[in-house]
């Protein structure tokens, strides 16, 4: 018999996971804690998410993309290119980890604990790099756009974000 997935059960699991990851981080959060908080059986979690890391991404992705929305709004309000770029980097490096340090750090914990060669569970890195490149392109004068080719600057920005996030703890 095919199990019918219910949106409210999935949301309950995700909400419980978000609260626990925000409070305890990735390593400190057990799937059994999430199940208990969500009011579901542990097996139900696996019906909706193949792993704890996948569940984290389902919480982290919308949270991080919402942060990027806020960073973009702040950058567009800045008076000149220098201040727009500054708003982007400070938004990623300082403001995002400060907003929810445990959740920001949870992704680093998850990636560090995944077995080597397991690969990314989500396209968040590439999506975020493209988004940051777009923000920087809008912030910089056209004659400076060449520095953004290949998403290298945004990749560096996100690698530094990892370090700022870990050091924020």
């Amino acid at each position: 018999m095919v199990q019918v997935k219910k949106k409210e059960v999935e949301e309950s699991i995700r909400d419980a996971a978000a609260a626990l990851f925000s409070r305890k981080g990735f390593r400190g959060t057990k799937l059994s804690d999430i199940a208990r908080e969500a009011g579901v059986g542990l097996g139900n979690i696996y019906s909706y998410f193949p792993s704890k890391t996948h569940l984290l991404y389902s919480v982290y992705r919308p949270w991080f993309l919402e942060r990027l929305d806020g960073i973009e709004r702040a950058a567009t309000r800045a008076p000149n290119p220098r201040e727009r770029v500054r708003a982007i980097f400070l938004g990623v490096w300082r403001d995002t980890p400060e907003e929810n340090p445990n959740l920001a750090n949870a992704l680093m914990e998850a990636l560090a604990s995944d077995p080597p060669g397991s690969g990314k569970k989500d396209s968040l890195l590439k999506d975020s790099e493209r988004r940051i490149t777009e923000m920087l392109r809008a912030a910089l004068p056209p004659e400076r756009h060449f520095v953004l080719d290949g998403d290298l600057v945004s990749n560096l920005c996100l690698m530094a974000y990892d370090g700022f996030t870990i050091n924020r703890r």
Side-chain angles (χ1 to χ4, degrees):
M1 184 162 150
V2 175
Q3 181 179 3
V4 177
K5 293 183 180 180
K6 297 178 184 170
K7 190 72 175 158
E8 59 272 6
V9 172
E10 183 176 352
E11 288 174 8
S12 179
I13 293 168
R14 190 178 290 112
D15 290 346
L20 289 165
F21 288 141
S22 293
R23 200 165 56 242
K24 297 178 163 188
F26 184 76
R27 288 183 308 203
T29 300
K30 307 288 182 250
L31 285 176
S32 58
D33 297 335
I34 295 170
R36 188 172 29 263
E37 182 115 352
V40 301
L42 183 59
N44 275 357
I45 292 177
Y46 288 109
S47 296
Y48 291 88
F49 304 97
S51 71
K52 184 174 155 183
T53 305
H54 284 88
L55 177 54
L56 172 65
Y57 269 107
S58 79
V59 168
Y60 194 91
R61 171 182 269 283
W63 176 80
F64 190 73
L65 294 177
E66 190 176 302
R67 303 290 74 69
L68 291 179
D69 289 344
I71 292 166
E72 186 170 28
R73 285 190 299 274
T76 59
R77 288 190 305 264
N80 58 56
R82 176 183 290 270
E83 290 303 313
R84 287 191 287 272
V85 170
R86 179 178 167 78
I88 293 165
F89 285 115
L90 287 179
V92 173
W93 293 342
R94 182 192 65 200
D95 301 340
T96 299
E98 282 182 357
E99 183 169 319
N100 190 332
N102 282 336
L103 186 57
N105 196 62
L107 187 62
M108 294 347 114
E109 292 176 334
L111 294 173
S113 63
D114 266 357
S118 63
K120 300 275 190 280
K121 309 288 188 268
D122 189 279
S123 62
L124 181 60
L125 177 62
K126 282 292 174 198
D127 296 345
S128 299
E129 286 175 349
R130 277 190 292 270
R131 181 81 184 277
I132 291 169
T133 296
E134 290 168 10
M135 283 190 266
L136 289 168
R137 192 172 307 284
L140 291 170
E143 64 271 12
R144 298 286 186 203
H145 288 182
F146 70 93
V147 301
L148 302 173
D149 292 345
D151 291 334
L152 187 60
V153 173
S154 58
N155 181 264
L156 179 62
C157 177
L158 289 172
M159 287 190 325
Y161 165 75
D162 294 354
F164 281 100
T165 297
I166 291 167
N167 288 326
R168 185 70 56 205
R169 283 180 64 145

